[in-house]
Amino acid sequence: MAKRQLDGVDRRILAMLSADARASATALAREVHLSRGAVQQRIGRMERDGVIAGYTAVLSRTDDRRTEVTALVTINLHTPRYAEVAADTAGWPEVRACWSIAGERDMALLVDADSNDELMEITRRLNELPAVRDTATHVVLRTHFDRAAMTDPTRTSATT
């Protein structure tokens, strides 16, 4: 069975769910001017088709979770072993995100550390991974805004 294309109503539902994954079907239906059942059917279809991959809780930065240093660490690989580096770093609690990227570098990690010393330790560990040729670290000086928790459902990205 062919997957149906997303229409404007689907995109509005996705945007509302991205902002509040706990939004009720009744509230969504009110916003898109459909019945609750119609909205539930659309959500079910998008889940089955893989458009909605899951639901998550966005945690606030409480004092006990506050990090002092946020950095973007870019990586050059010896060979294209992206999955190996992603698997190696997936269990590191300091690594918030890992991307394969196009351009002069092969991968990028978003890292939260409690100190510059901890960040140096993380980059040392990265450079010891067999697939890693070298790293470059870019420390965040100030966050003007952060939409990391808000995904734009109308955009698509290729996966490696």
Side-chain angles (χ1 to χ4, degrees):
M1 174 169 17
K3 293 181 183 179
R4 201 176 71 123
Q5 291 291 326
L6 297 180
D7 62 17
V9 174
D10 290 334
R11 286 185 186 82
R12 285 181 57 206
I13 291 169
L14 290 171
M16 288 183 284
L17 287 173
S18 292
D20 179 6
R22 293 180 53 169
S24 69
T26 302
L28 297 170
R30 209 174 306 125
E31 290 294 319
V32 298
H33 307 291
L34 291 176
S35 70
R36 182 181 53 80
V39 167
Q40 288 174 317
Q41 285 178 346
R42 284 173 178 259
I43 291 171
R45 178 184 39 79
M46 289 187 284
E47 288 171 343
R48 283 188 305 281
D49 289 351
V51 174
I52 296 175
Y55 299 88
T56 188
V58 178
L59 305 177
S60 66
R61 294 250 179 214
T62 59
D63 285 340
D64 62 336
R65 291 188 63 246
R66 196 172 136 235
T67 58
E68 294 297 322
V69 182
T70 299
L72 183 66
V73 180
T74 57
I75 301 170
N76 274 331
L77 302 174
H78 288 295
T79 58
R81 293 166 25 192
Y82 300 95
E84 181 180 323
V85 173
D88 286 343
T89 60
W92 297 9
E94 309 89 358
V95 177
R96 191 180 347 157
C98 174
W99 302 285
S100 298
I101 58 175
E104 294 181 22
R105 307 297 251 161
D106 298 313
M107 298 185 82
L109 303 179
L110 185 58
V111 175
D112 291 323
D114 291 329
S115 66
N116 286 332
D117 288 339
E118 183 182 31
L119 180 60
M120 286 178 61
E121 174 62 18
I122 294 164
T123 57
R124 182 195 62 74
R125 287 170 41 210
L126 277 170
N127 281 296
E128 288 180 350
L129 295 177
V132 174
R133 183 174 51 185
D134 61 57
T135 62
T137 302
H138 310 274
V139 175
V140 173
L141 299 176
R142 176 182 295 147
T143 300
H144 297 279
F145 61 87
D146 183 352
R147 292 191 184 113
M150 303 300 292
T151 307
D152 180 356
T154 62
R155 296 185 61 201
T156 59
S157 61
T159 56
T160 303

